[in-house]
Amino acid sequence: MAKEGAQRAEETEQMIDKEGGREAAEGGAGGSLRPGDAKEMRAVVLSAFGGLNKLRVSKKPMPEPQEGELKIRVKACGLNFIDLMVRQGNIDNPPKTPLVPGFECSGIVEALGDSVKGFEIGDRVMAFVNYNAWAEVVCTPVEFVYKIPDDMNFSEAAAFPMNFVTAYMMLFEVANLREGMSVLVHSAGGGVGQAVAQLCSTIPNVTVFGTASSFKHEAIKTSVTHLFDRNADYVQEVKRISADGVDIVLDCLCGENTGKGLSLLKPLGTYILYGSSNMVTGETKSFFSFAKSWWQVEKVNPIKLYEENKVIAGFSLLNLLFKQNRGGLIKGVMDKLLNLYNSKKIKPVVDSLWALEEVKEAMQRIHDRGNIGKLILDVEKAPTPLMANDSTETSEAGEEEEDHEGDNESKERMPFIQ
């Protein structure tokens, strides 16, 4: 551990020397650079909503921290399914483009804004960011920043906040998971699915039912109690094992799975919708997929819920953080999660590392549901020679047609759920 600590300290010193953090420190509490020292940084820029060809790596002015903010030299960024929906414009009230996507990152504190306490230049941190995470440097309010444990690397740290906070909040804050309960989680091989499985293992006698693509089963079979193919009739499979159903359903798919999930709930069971990946069927936004997904959603009758003693809920971590101002609540959850990590009870699962220039290929991997755990954009990674991959190419004509269809036929967008 002492050796690892020395390596971390040396890494921190090298990063500060390399990137000019000491000059920022000498510039005062606000961390401002001297006139003439203005720098640029690399960032992934989404030029317009649409397909993969709307993404590019560009140079942008380097941000400086405002009051209450930290400036972070980014080492790694998390890539989530919500980022695909942002790229397509399938969210409620999206910001204007061009924009820098991304909601979580890890790195080293390079400068402190006025009134920031509890952090020092050189601290290794992970953070939530309200967009702009996919860049070499980000600034974010101190309430969204957390110190990284000594034995957690930057890739793991970038894979930690969104997945584990989402899983913890749904299981313990919304559904009140207790000993002896049962949980059904979709996309069990993904980042949230693996976090759910790990957190369930911290409670005695919890049965976890999971759905995932068949090619993932060998890799994740030990993390869940019962594993089913995502295309199989999992409702009958669950009822064959547990005739009464399950206590908790965690649904990131939506569409027809909503009705199936409600039908599997035991009395006093809780169904939680936290995503709608079924509506993402192509590279660009599709009104047909949007309509089909919601057409398949079973209409919820409050009287039926009352008669059957069932609970239906929704969860959006990003809304909780950035729209509903619950940063303090999330900090308490992060403290509990970091204690579990330090006790070696949970650990982020990293699927693969990608250079910023490889963001299109990384996004395609998530779109194809090919990942087991979290995909990470490694800011310092050099891009590998591009392989021939037709899935990363989109014709402008096809994209314009898709955008035109969405604009004319539907002015409504999906709620900002992740």
Side-chain angles (χ1 to χ4, degrees):
M1 183 65 71
K3 183 179 179 181
E4 290 180 357
Q7 291 174 338
R8 302 292 187 196
E10 182 179 358
E11 181 184 51
T12 297
E13 290 298 321
Q14 291 174 349
M15 176 63 70
I16 294 175
D17 286 340
K18 178 181 177 182
E19 306 296 349
R22 286 193 175 125
E23 287 83 354
E26 294 168 359
S32 300
L33 295 174
R34 295 187 301 269
D37 283 345
K39 296 182 179 180
E40 289 185 325
M41 63 173 184
R42 291 159 56 239
V44 175
V45 176
L46 178 67
S47 60
F49 297 118
L52 292 169
N53 63 353
K54 299 300 184 183
L55 292 166
R56 68 181 188 277
V57 175
S58 301
K59 290 292 185 69
K60 291 184 66 66
M62 188 177 296
E64 294 301 328
Q66 304 300 309
E67 182 175 359
E69 291 185 341
L70 292 175
K71 178 182 178 182
I72 301 170
R73 175 65 57 171
V74 177
K75 300 279 280 186
C77 318
L79 203 159
N80 301 282
F81 203 91
I82 183 64
D83 296 312
L84 274 70
M85 297 181 69
V86 168
R87 192 198 76 216
Q88 293 185 356
N90 278 323
I91 58 173
D92 185 38
N93 297 318
K96 293 181 179 180
T97 55
L99 62 86
V100 176
F103 299 101
E104 62 183 337
C105 65
S106 64
I108 295 175
V109 176
E110 192 169 86
L112 308 175
D114 292 336
S115 75
V116 170
K117 298 180 180 179
F119 291 91
E120 297 179 354
I121 292 175
D123 282 346
R124 301 169 65 250
V125 296
M126 51 187 156
F128 292 108
V129 187
N130 193 9
Y131 291 95
N132 299 308
W134 295 354
E136 291 182 314
V137 175
V138 301
C139 293
T140 193
V142 65
E143 66 176 314
F144 302 142
V145 183
Y146 317 91
K147 292 182 180 178
I148 299 176
D150 290 338
D151 58 345
M152 181 186 286
N153 62 42
F154 286 113
S155 297
E156 292 174 331
F160 194 84
M162 290 273 285
N163 290 349
F164 275 96
V165 172
T166 295
Y168 188 97
M169 293 287 290
M170 291 192 299
L171 289 172
F172 298 105
E173 299 290 337
V174 181
N176 193 22
L177 177 66
R178 301 184 302 281
E179 180 177 353
M181 282 185 153
S182 55
V183 179
L184 169 64
V185 57
H186 292 296
S187 300
V192 174
Q194 286 294 287
V196 166
Q198 291 186 31
L199 288 171
C200 285
S201 71
T202 66
I203 306 298
N205 303 318
V206 171
T207 301
V208 181
F209 298 89
T211 70
S213 300
S214 58
F215 73 88
K216 299 183 181 183
H217 286 200
E218 184 63 27
I220 67 173
K221 64 182 181 181
T222 60
S223 65
V224 299
T225 317
H226 304 286
L227 187 58
F228 312 117
D229 187 277
R230 67 189 300 263
N231 297 314
D233 185 0
Y234 62 85
V235 172
Q236 293 306 314
E237 291 295 319
V238 171
K239 288 185 175 180
R240 181 177 59 82
I241 299 168
S242 176
D244 292 337
V246 298
D247 297 291
I248 301 169
V249 173
L250 305 179
D251 180 11
C252 60
L253 305 178
C254 198
E256 63 180 350
N257 293 279
T258 300
K260 292 178 179 179
L262 286 171
S263 73
L264 280 172
L265 282 184
K266 294 179 180 179
L268 301 183
T270 303
Y271 163 92
I272 304 174
L273 177 69
Y274 71 101
S276 53
S277 63
N278 274 342
M279 70 170 292
V280 180
T281 56
E283 188 178 325
T284 56
K285 180 179 65 177
S286 168
F287 173 73
F288 175 77
S289 297
F290 176 96
K292 179 181 178 182
S293 180
W294 282 105
W295 180 260
Q296 292 174 329
V297 173
E298 180 176 303
K299 304 302 183 291
V300 178
N301 184 337
I303 298 299
K304 187 176 181 181
L305 292 176
Y306 150 73
E307 292 173 344
E308 296 181 353
N309 283 299
K310 294 181 178 181
V311 177
I312 184 168
F315 182 78
S316 166
L317 176 57
L318 296 178
N319 280 347
L320 202 64
L321 278 168
F322 303 127
K323 293 185 178 181
Q324 296 158 354
N325 303 315
R326 294 297 189 271
L329 173 62
I330 302 304
K331 184 182 185 307
V333 170
M334 280 291 290
D335 289 342
K336 295 174 183 177
L337 288 168
L338 290 173
N339 285 335
L340 289 172
Y341 176 85
N342 290 327
S343 302
K344 301 189 183 305
K345 293 182 178 180
I346 61 175
K347 183 180 178 64
V349 177
V350 175
D351 174 81
S352 50
L353 305 180
W354 304 77
L356 290 182
E357 291 80 4
E358 297 169 333
V359 65
K360 297 178 183 180
E361 290 81 3
M363 272 199 165
Q364 188 65 43
R365 182 168 174 81
I366 287 188
H367 180 277
D368 294 340
R369 278 72 168 177
N371 58 300
I372 298 175
K374 190 66 161 275
L375 274 75
I376 298 297
L377 295 179
D378 184 337
V379 174
E380 296 182 341
K381 182 180 183 298
T384 55
L386 293 178
M387 298 178 293
N389 188 346
D390 291 339
S391 64
T392 63
E393 300 295 333
T394 305
S395 69
E396 288 294 336
E399 193 154 285
E400 288 171 3
E401 181 180 353
E402 191 72 35
D403 290 342
H404 179 74
E405 175 188 48
D407 289 342
N408 285 329
E409 297 195 42
S410 175
K411 293 297 183 181
E412 296 183 353
R413 299 182 185 270
M414 284 291 296
F416 195 10
I417 54 181
Q418 62 94 4

